[in-house]
């Protein structure tokens, strides 16, 4: 174990999905790797009325699966779980009652450092911060607060939440978490761009024709209807995860990898995004809802919430002027895939006799975030034969071929950063302001103009027709690697 300061991690919403599926498994992994402070404990707060045993059992099955993935035998699994579960404590508590916080105060007296992790529904966050602040639970300068996205629900509420936080806390104590920044493949975008001299000369409007970012999920809203229906794809994924990817692709090289420098360069991108004109939202943004969404548990049967969103954005600066960035995200898509495709300009002149569609196929650099984490460079070669025929091929780097060892999960990386007080990969308040400023006009327009065609895409499709039209109006197509290219009418690979 390392000898970091004794720490209590207080989880608000300890009975929820995020705690069960992400936070506790990540902490368990850190524990197995002996990365947690020596005197560490986890205080789970919620209002299920569980006993301590019920609370522990709530996580046990998941954790055991996890140990099996690490190829631990039964005995070791049992032993590790027993040791880990000593860290866990459950407290039944109503977050909305100020008197609950006196109880919490009592619990925390013995530790010099506490981290409050708000894994709750977004609408509770402001209230909890106020209660913690009023109860003087932030007076210890070692205390930190972790807030999940979405951070607010529009520009106004995000600014209000920031005001509430800064009434009690210094910015350095606030960790706005976006788990995409903890993903290995997302961080690898920085390595690819700034650890190599090969790509940077081409990484601009002179060589790149357009950038496409797709984050598709096969699953629907599952058991999260209550949260999702108030949120929708723009708030749930675009304002945060997709914008992080866009910033990493479009940012200028940071001088060094320290919080403010890295964040400044990311935020510069958001500041450069051309505002979407209020009266032309439909030219830049498309929404969709999958058929069957309205029948999902805890979803309004007349819901207008989007489960798919596509945007066209421009980054108005020297590097990217007039190069479109197409973003799309959706649930119930044909497959789970997150990838970024940089499409290079076509050759200026066709030297070879052109007869097949491959002739006009431009080069692509594809960064696949998940699954099958990889980087693919697609270029043309001569197809063997007596005729001169071009054919696109892929040069492919696959993460798991080079690095077969298990990657740390995004939450593992980020939780360790929080414990160590490293805020580099967390979101600053001005980033939130900039991101909400970009999407608030779209949210306002969608709120005002009720969609007439919902639900408008079927499960297993790539979203509504309007999404294809958005990009096809510019003479382009959505691209994805491998078989899905064919789904899009792009040139198929053999
Ligand atoms: C979460 C969203 O932030 O990210 C979910 O709330 C989404 O709706 C999830 O399913 C996707 O994360 P990942 O890591 O599976 O791409």
């Amino acid at each position: 174990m390392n000898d970091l300061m004794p720490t209590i991690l207080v989880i608000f919403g300890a009975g929820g999905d995020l705690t069960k599926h992400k936070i506790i498994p990540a902490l368990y992994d850190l524990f197995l790797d002996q990365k947690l402070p020596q005197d560490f404990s986890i205080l789970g707060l919620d209002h299920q009325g569980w006993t301590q045993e019920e609370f522990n059992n709530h996580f046990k099955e998941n954790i055991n699966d996890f140990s099996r993935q690490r190829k631990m035998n039964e005995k070791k699994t049992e032993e590790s779980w027993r040791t880990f579960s000593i860290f866990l404590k459950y407290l039944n508590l109503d977050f909305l009652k100020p008197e609950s916080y006196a109880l919490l105060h009592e619990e925390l007296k013995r530790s010099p450092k506490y981290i409050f992790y708000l894994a709750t529904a977004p609408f509770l966050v402001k209230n909890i911060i106020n209660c913690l602040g009023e109860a003087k639970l932030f007076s210890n300068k070692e205390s930190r607060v972790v807030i999940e996205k979405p951070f607010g629900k529009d520009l106004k509420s995000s600014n209000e939440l920031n005001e509430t936080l800064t009434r009690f806390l210094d910015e350095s104590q606030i960790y706005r978490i976006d788990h995409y920044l903890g993903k290995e493949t997302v961080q690898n975008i920085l390595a690819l761009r700034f650890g190599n001299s090969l790509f940077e000369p081409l990484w601009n409007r002179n060589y790149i024709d357009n950038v496409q970012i797709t984050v598709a999920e096969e699953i629907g809203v599952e058991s999260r209807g209550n949260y999702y229906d108030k949120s929708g794809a723009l708030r749930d994924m675009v304002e945060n995860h997709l914008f992080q990817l866009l910033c990493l692709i479009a940012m200028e090289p940071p001088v060094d990898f320290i919080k403010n420098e890295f964040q400044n360069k990311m935020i510069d991108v958001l500041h450069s995004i051309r505002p979407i004109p209020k009266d032309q939202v439909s030219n830049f943004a498309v929404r969709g809802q999958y058929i069957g969404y309205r029948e999902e548990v805890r979803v309004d049967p007349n819901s207008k919430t989007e489960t798919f969103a596509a945007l066209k954005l421009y980054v108005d600066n020297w590097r990217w002027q007039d190069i479109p960035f197409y973003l799309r995200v959706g649930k119930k898509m044909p497959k789970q895939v997150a990838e970024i495709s940089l499409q290079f300009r076509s050759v200026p002149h066709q030297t070879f006799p052109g007869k097949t569609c491959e002739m006009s196929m431009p080069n692509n650099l594809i960064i696949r975030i998940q699954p099958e984490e990889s980087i693919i460079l697609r270029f043309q070669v001569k197809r063997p034969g007596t005729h001169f025929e071009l054919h696109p091929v892929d040069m492919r780097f696959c993460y798991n071929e080079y690095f077969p060892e298990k990657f740390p999960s995004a939450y593992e990386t980020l939780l360790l950063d929080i414990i160590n007080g490293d805020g580099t990969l967390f979101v600053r308040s001005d980033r939130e302001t900039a991101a909400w400023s970009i999407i608030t006009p779209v949210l306002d327009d969608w709120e005002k103009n009720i969609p007439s065609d919902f639900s408008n895409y079927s499960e297993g499709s790539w979203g509504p027709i309007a999404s294809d039209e958005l990009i096809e109006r510019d003479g382009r197509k959505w691209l994805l690697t491998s078989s899905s290219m064919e789904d899009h009418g792009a040139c198929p690979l053999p």
Side-chain angles (χ1 to χ4, degrees):
M1 294 271 171
N2 71 34
D3 56 359
L4 288 166
M5 198 183 277
T7 306
I8 303 187
L9 177 72
V10 185
I11 307 178
F12 287 78
D17 278 359
L18 184 70
T19 307
K20 180 168 179 173
H21 297 293
K22 302 286 182 192
I23 302 175
I24 296 290
L27 290 167
Y28 183 61
D29 234 335
L30 290 172
F31 157 76
L32 293 176
D33 291 339
Q34 305 194 335
K35 289 188 176 148
L36 291 179
Q38 227 151 35
D39 186 356
F40 185 76
S41 52
I42 301 163
L43 178 63
L45 311 180
D46 224 323
H47 43 70
Q48 276 83 354
W50 282 332
T51 61
Q52 184 63 44
E53 198 187 350
E54 285 167 333
F55 182 65
N56 292 4
N57 285 342
H58 176 67
F59 303 112
K60 191 171 178 198
E61 194 185 321
N62 222 23
I63 291 294
N64 284 350
D65 284 349
F66 212 65
S67 309
R68 276 190 281 277
Q69 281 167 26
R70 280 191 167 233
K71 301 196 173 47
M72 283 161 59
N73 62 31
E74 288 288 305
K75 186 159 171 264
K76 180 92 178 71
T77 302
E78 203 44 52
E79 264 172 34
S80 303
W81 167 251
R82 208 172 320 115
T83 320
F84 180 74
S85 58
I86 297 170
F87 291 161
L88 296 173
K89 179 162 183 193
Y90 176 71
L91 193 61
N92 199 57
L93 193 129
D94 184 343
F95 315 142
L96 295 177
K97 290 202 178 128
E99 54 271 28
S100 303
Y101 292 78
L103 203 64
L104 186 56
H105 211 292
E106 198 52 36
E107 281 292 326
L108 298 179
K109 264 197 330 221
R110 65 189 176 83
S111 174
K113 172 169 159 191
Y114 15 92
I115 299 169
F116 299 105
Y117 198 125
L118 273 52
T120 59
F123 74 93
L124 292 172
V125 170
K126 201 167 147 194
N127 228 314
I128 296 174
I129 297 293
N130 268 321
C131 290
L132 285 167
E134 302 295 343
K136 307 264 177 295
L137 279 159
F138 292 135
S139 52
N140 178 343
K141 286 291 161 222
E142 284 299 330
S143 62
R144 293 173 195 156
V145 61
V146 186
I147 300 176
E148 278 285 338
K149 42 109 312 219
F151 188 78
K153 63 183 183 64
D154 53 17
L155 182 57
K156 184 166 170 282
S157 57
S158 162
N159 287 343
E160 283 168 6
L161 184 51
N162 270 327
E163 276 163 30
T164 307
L165 283 161
T166 46
R167 264 180 65 208
F168 303 110
L169 292 151
D170 188 73
E171 178 67 25
S172 62
Q173 295 173 276
I174 308 168
Y175 289 73
R176 297 174 195 81
I177 194 167
D178 180 325
H179 78 280
Y180 264 53
L181 287 179
K183 283 182 190 273
E184 286 289 321
T185 35
V186 172
Q187 291 180 24
N188 192 42
I189 299 172
L190 292 170
L192 177 79
R193 287 197 57 198
F194 307 128
N196 297 292
S197 56
L198 177 62
F199 302 106
E200 198 51 24
L202 308 178
W203 209 271
N204 57 56
R205 63 191 304 275
N206 298 326
Y207 294 94
I208 291 175
D209 176 85
N210 73 92
V211 178
Q212 300 183 18
I213 303 178
T214 295
V215 179
E217 293 182 279
E218 227 175 317
I219 55 168
V221 291
E222 314 282 285
S223 56
R224 299 166 72 225
N226 193 27
Y227 150 74
Y228 196 89
D229 206 36
K230 295 187 200 73
S231 184
L234 265 192
R235 293 186 177 97
D236 185 51
M237 299 282 285
V238 177
E239 188 272 341
N240 31 73
H241 307 331
L242 272 84
F243 278 6
Q244 306 292 11
L245 299 179
L246 186 157
C247 287
L248 288 165
I249 294 296
M251 74 196 283
E252 293 303 315
V255 177
D256 44 28
F257 195 50
I258 53 171
K259 177 169 179 167
N260 278 339
E261 171 61 3
F262 172 64
Q263 294 277 333
N264 287 345
K265 293 290 192 291
M266 297 268 283
I267 296 167
D268 279 351
V269 175
L270 296 176
H271 285 152
S272 311
I273 289 182
R274 191 182 301 172
I276 296 180
K278 281 189 180 136
D279 56 347
Q280 290 176 40
V281 167
S282 60
N283 293 336
F284 293 89
V286 164
R287 59 183 151 167
Q289 185 187 76
Y290 65 80
I291 296 167
Y293 172 72
R294 292 173 175 178
E295 283 89 62
E296 299 276 17
V297 184
R298 302 176 84 188
V299 164
D300 177 354
N302 298 310
S303 176
K304 309 287 183 292
T305 301
E306 79 285 356
T307 58
F308 174 96
L311 289 185
K312 175 167 79 160
L313 297 172
Y314 287 99
V315 180
D316 283 343
N317 63 18
W318 274 62
R319 189 186 283 266
W320 297 113
Q321 191 67 38
D322 294 333
I323 303 304
F325 284 71
Y326 301 101
L327 277 54
R328 64 177 168 166
V329 61
K331 296 209 182 272
K332 294 271 186 192
M333 305 266 102
K335 60 175 174 185
Q336 190 219 356
V337 61
E339 75 180 33
I340 303 165
S341 165
L342 290 99
Q343 187 172 344
F344 288 84
R345 290 190 184 278
S346 301
V347 291
H349 167 69
Q350 295 286 3
T351 304
F352 310 106
K355 65 174 171 54
T356 58
C357 67
E358 288 95 330
M359 289 302 297
S360 58
M361 197 169 175
N363 301 134
N364 267 281
L365 180 69
I366 296 143
I367 302 169
R368 183 171 267 212
I369 308 295
Q370 61 195 24
E372 302 128 32
E373 295 80 358
S374 43
I375 297 175
I376 299 149
L377 187 60
R378 179 165 290 158
F379 57 98
Q380 312 270 28
V381 295
K382 179 186 179 298
R383 184 194 276 274
T386 49
H387 296 299
F388 207 105
E389 199 180 313
L390 294 182
H391 196 89
V393 292
D394 288 350
M395 205 190 263
R396 199 179 276 257
F397 152 72
C398 290
Y399 249 87
N400 62 6
E401 283 170 13
Y402 270 79
F403 307 110
E405 63 271 17
K406 175 188 159 301
F407 301 175
S409 71
Y411 275 90
E412 203 180 325
T413 302
L414 296 175
L415 275 161
L416 192 60
D417 283 353
I418 296 164
I419 295 169
N420 291 337
D422 180 353
T424 311
L425 294 174
F426 294 82
V427 174
R428 245 173 31 194
S429 63
D430 48 342
R431 185 262 174 223
E432 286 302 319
T433 309
W436 283 115
S437 306
I438 298 163
I439 66 158
T440 297
V442 182
L443 290 168
D444 290 348
D445 181 85
W446 287 0
E447 174 102 36
K448 223 172 5 169
N449 299 308
I450 307 294
S452 52
D453 60 345
F454 270 13
S455 300
N456 59 356
Y457 72 95
S458 46
E459 175 175 347
S461 73
W462 287 100
I465 294 165
S467 158
D468 290 334
E469 289 168 352
L470 177 81
I471 190 164
E472 283 167 12
R473 272 201 297 273
D474 299 340
R476 301 186 176 96
K477 276 181 183 297
W478 290 110
L479 293 168
L480 277 177
T481 46
S482 69
S483 58
S484 51
M485 288 176 63
E486 294 163 43
D487 304 341
H488 289 266
C491 298
L493 291 178

